[in-house]
Amino acid sequence: MTQINTQSLNELFKKTRLNNQLTSSEMAERLKISLTTLSKIENGLRQVDAETLLRLMHLFNISPSLQEMEDSNKTSLPMYTNDQYVEKTLNQINKIMQRFPKLREEPFKGNPLKEMVVDELPVLITKAFFLDENDYKITGSIGKGQFAEVPWLCVFLKDITKSATKGYYIVFLFSTDGQSVYMSLNQGWTFFHEKYGTKVARKKIQVAAQNLKGELLLNENEWITGPIDLQAHGILAKGYEAGNIFAKKYYFNELPSITQFKEDFYTLLQSYNEINLLRGKRSVDEFTESLLLLEDGLFFDVDEDEDFNLNVQKELTNLDEEADMNQENDAKKARQPVIQKGGKPKYTRRVKVAAAALKKAHYKCALDENHTTFTNKSSGKPYVEAHHLIHMSTQGNFEYELDCLENIASLCPTCHRLLHHGADHEKEQCIEALYDKMVNGLSNKKIYLPLPELKKLYQMDN
C-alpha cells in the first residue's frame, strides 16, 4: 500500500476531527481504524496510507488541495507568544520555587509570596501567551488566611470552569520542598471529594484522568501521566496529585528553554480546548460523570448488553452472602439520566442491582427453573443473565426507578436471546409469563404498565 509521508496530512486528521466535534473513538470508528492508529497519525508518529486518506476525504468532503486545507482549517490554537514575557514567566517561576519555602515561615498577612504568585505571575502568563480575558481566567493562590501546602496558579477556560474546585484546568503546582513545579492538565478535586469521600475519590479521579487521557491523544512518552508527587500530605494537595491527566515537571534552576516551555504550554492549552469539544452540550459535572460510568458499575440500556452481563457475573463474586436483597422495600424516585455529548439524556443500569436480582432468583431462569445452563467461571454460580422487563430506555415515562430488583428477570441465555430476537408468537408467550410473575412486585414499587403497552416495547402490536 502506498505511503504518503507528509506532515500536513497528519495534522489534517486532527483538524478534521476537531472541526466536526468528534471524539477520538468516534473518528476512529468512522475511518475504520484502531484508536491507537489514529493516535499515532494525529501525533505524527505514523505515516498516512492512501486508503485511510481517501476515506477521510470522502467522509468529510475534503478538497484534495493540501494548501486549501491548510488555509481553511484553523482549529489548532495559533502559537502567538511574547518571548520577552515567556522568559519573565520562567524567571518568576524559578524565583517562587527559590523563595517560598522560607517565605511561608513568615506572617501570612502582607507576605511577599502573595505578590509573586497572586499578583505578578498571572499577569506574566497572560502577556506571554496573549490569553484573552474573555476566554480565560488566570488565578494564583497561596492559601486563604494561612499558607496552603502547595501554592498554585490556574489557567481556567471560562466555558469549562472558573474555579479549581470542579472541572478541568491547567495548573502550575509548586512542590512543598521548593525543588520543582508541575505544569499539569488537572481536575477539580472537590467534586470527587464531596461525591465519594476521601478514600474512594482518589481512585475515582484517577480513573477519570485515565479515561480522558485516552481521548486527548498526547504522546505519553513526553508527558507524565497518573499521579504526580508534590511532597505533600494534606487532603487537598493529595487531590492535586491524583487528579493529574498530563504534566511536565520542571526543576529549580533547571527550567526548560523558552521554545520548549512555549511548546509544552500550547500543547496543554490545545488539549484543554479539546476537552470543551468532547464535553459537547453537557455540563462539566455531566461530562465527568460520563467518564466514570463503567467505574461506577453503570451501563446504558441494551447498547452494551453483553458487556453489562459480563460485569454482572464479576459482581456476583463480590456480593455479601448475608446481604438482604429485600432491604429497599420502598419505591425510589427515578435517578437522573446521563447526558450525552449532543445533549440527549440516556438512562443507565447498575451492575450491583442486577447481580442482586440474580442472587435473589437463586440463579434460575424465571421462565423455567428446569432450563439447564452452565457454571460461570468467574462466579462459580449457574450462568444466568439479567433482563429489565420494562426497558430502562423508557425511564423518562416513569416517576419511580425501573432499575430495581422487581423489574429484573433472571433468564438463561436462550430465553434472554429469545426476548430480544425471537419470533413474535414465541416472544409473546414469554412476555406474558414474566408479566404475570412480576406485575405485583412492580406495583409495589409504584411501576404500572398494562400488558398491551409492554408488548409494544418489544415491538409487538397485539
Side-chain angles (χ1 to χ4, degrees):
M1 186 174 292
T2 303
Q3 300 289 328
I4 305 175
N5 187 13
T6 307
Q7 180 60 33
S8 56
L9 290 182
N10 298 81
E11 291 291 329
L12 172 64
F13 278 75
K14 187 166 187 175
K15 289 181 179 181
T16 302
R17 177 169 63 83
L18 295 177
N19 279 346
N20 289 274
Q21 299 189 8
L22 296 172
T23 67
S24 302
S25 299
E26 291 168 341
M27 185 70 163
E29 183 178 357
R30 290 199 183 189
L31 293 174
K32 299 180 180 179
I33 59 177
S34 70
L35 193 58
T36 301
T37 298
L38 177 63
S39 173
K40 290 180 178 179
I41 289 175
E42 291 194 1
N43 285 285
L45 302 175
R46 179 178 179 135
Q47 294 176 322
V48 182
D49 63 83
E51 181 180 341
T52 303
L53 176 61
L54 288 172
R55 188 176 294 118
L56 178 84
M57 294 168 64
H58 174 72
L59 287 172
F60 299 99
N61 194 28
I62 295 175
S63 165
S65 170
L66 288 177
Q67 186 59 51
E68 289 178 9
M69 292 184 287
E70 286 295 314
D71 292 341
S72 62
N73 288 285
K74 302 297 182 182
T75 303
S76 296
L77 294 171
M79 194 167 171
Y80 300 133
T81 62
N82 183 322
D83 285 1
Q84 178 183 356
Y85 277 97
V86 173
E87 184 176 13
K88 287 183 177 180
T89 297
L90 287 169
N91 291 336
Q92 184 77 349
I93 288 172
N94 206 54
K95 180 181 176 183
I96 292 169
M97 283 192 285
Q98 180 184 31
R99 297 190 61 189
F100 99 79
K102 293 183 179 180
L103 285 176
R104 66 183 172 193
E105 296 176 1
E106 300 179 7
F108 183 82
K109 187 175 181 180
N111 194 289
L113 186 61
K114 176 181 181 298
E115 183 177 358
M116 288 190 289
V117 176
V118 179
D119 301 328
E120 296 175 355
L121 189 54
V123 174
L124 294 175
I125 290 282
T126 300
K127 290 184 177 181
F129 296 99
F130 297 100
L131 297 177
D132 191 332
E133 63 179 11
N134 293 318
D135 298 323
Y136 298 96
K137 176 183 176 182
I138 299 89
T139 302
S141 175
I142 63 170
K144 295 182 179 180
Q146 61 182 3
F147 286 107
E149 192 175 13
V150 174
W152 54 261
L153 177 133
C154 279
V155 177
F156 301 114
L157 182 60
K158 291 181 178 180
D159 283 350
I160 294 179
T161 186
K162 299 178 184 178
S163 166
T165 62
K166 65 187 297 182
Y168 306 87
Y169 46 81
I170 296 173
V171 61
F172 292 85
L173 295 162
F174 295 87
S175 64
T176 59
D177 59 6
Q179 295 302 302
S180 62
V181 61
Y182 289 88
M183 182 173 68
S184 169
L185 182 59
N186 215 293
Q187 309 169 77
W189 162 253
T190 303
F191 168 85
F192 292 87
H193 187 244
E194 290 180 349
K195 183 173 182 179
Y196 297 106
T198 303
K199 185 176 181 179
V200 176
R202 286 179 187 168
K203 178 184 177 183
K204 298 289 186 180
I205 200 172
Q206 290 180 53
V207 170
Q210 178 72 17
N211 291 341
L212 186 53
K213 175 175 68 72
E215 293 291 343
L216 296 178
L217 297 176
L218 289 188
N219 184 351
E220 291 188 32
N221 295 328
E222 299 177 1
W223 293 84
I224 299 170
T225 61
I228 55 179
D229 184 7
L230 297 168
Q231 301 291 311
H233 303 286
I235 292 175
L236 188 57
K238 286 295 183 183
Y240 297 149
E241 291 179 341
N244 175 59
I245 304 169
F246 288 104
K248 283 291 180 76
K249 185 178 184 179
Y250 306 133
Y251 293 93
F252 175 63
N253 281 342
E254 296 181 21
L255 294 179
S257 66
I258 291 175
T259 300
Q260 185 63 55
F261 182 65
K262 290 192 301 184
E263 182 179 333
D264 292 346
F265 183 81
Y266 266 111
T267 298
L268 283 192
L269 199 64
Q270 182 72 48
S271 293
Y272 190 18
N273 279 268
E274 191 173 348
I275 289 175
N276 213 23
L277 292 178
L278 292 169
R279 181 172 65 91
K281 297 181 180 180
R282 294 170 287 194
S283 70
V284 171
D285 287 358
E286 290 167 346
F287 174 65
T288 301
E289 288 171 349
S290 73
L291 295 173
L292 295 168
L293 284 177
L294 299 186
E295 173 65 20
D296 286 345
L298 298 174
F299 285 77
F300 291 127
D301 186 49
V302 179
D303 293 343
E304 300 89 4
D305 199 63
E306 183 174 354
D307 287 341
F308 174 70
N309 273 292
L310 286 174
N311 279 272
V312 170
Q313 300 302 318
K314 294 178 182 178
E315 180 62 28
L316 290 173
T317 63
N318 299 324
L319 279 183
D320 183 353
E321 291 298 328
E322 303 300 324
D324 181 5
M325 295 304 152
N326 296 301
Q327 57 185 337
E328 292 188 0
N329 293 318
D330 297 331
K332 302 292 183 181
K333 292 285 187 177
R335 289 174 292 123
Q336 292 299 310
V338 172
I339 306 300
Q340 297 183 289
K341 181 181 177 182
K344 183 179 179 181
K346 201 167 185 182
Y347 293 92
T348 55
R349 303 172 288 175
R350 295 169 292 176
V351 166
K352 288 185 177 181
V353 175
L358 298 187
K359 181 186 176 186
K360 184 179 179 182
H362 302 292
Y363 311 103
K364 295 180 179 180
C365 180
L367 286 170
D368 189 337
E369 292 186 356
N370 295 318
H371 282 178
T372 58
T373 180
F374 55 89
T375 301
N376 183 272
K377 183 177 181 180
S378 63
S379 68
K381 307 293 184 181
Y383 182 87
V384 285
E385 297 176 340
H387 175 77
H388 288 70
L389 181 64
I390 303 175
H391 306 329
M392 285 301 301
S393 59
T394 66
Q395 178 67 81
N397 300 323
F398 296 87
E399 181 181 357
Y400 291 91
E401 179 67 73
L402 292 179
D403 193 28
C404 60
L405 300 181
E406 290 75 10
N407 188 40
I408 300 176
S410 170
L411 298 174
C412 69
T414 300
C415 289
H416 195 187
R417 297 302 181 275
L418 190 157
L419 283 177
H420 284 289
H421 309 294
D424 280 356
H425 70 280
E426 294 179 306
K427 189 188 301 184
E428 182 176 23
Q429 293 177 4
C430 293
I431 292 172
E432 289 176 349
L434 289 176
Y435 186 84
D436 288 342
K437 189 172 185 176
M438 300 170 69
V439 65
N440 289 335
L442 291 170
S443 178
N444 290 337
K445 288 299 178 76
K446 300 183 179 180
I447 301 170
Y448 308 104
L449 186 68
L451 181 58
E453 294 299 315
L454 179 63
K455 290 181 179 180
K456 287 183 180 179
L457 294 184
Y458 290 80
Q459 300 180 341
M460 299 175 62
D461 296 327
N462 55 349

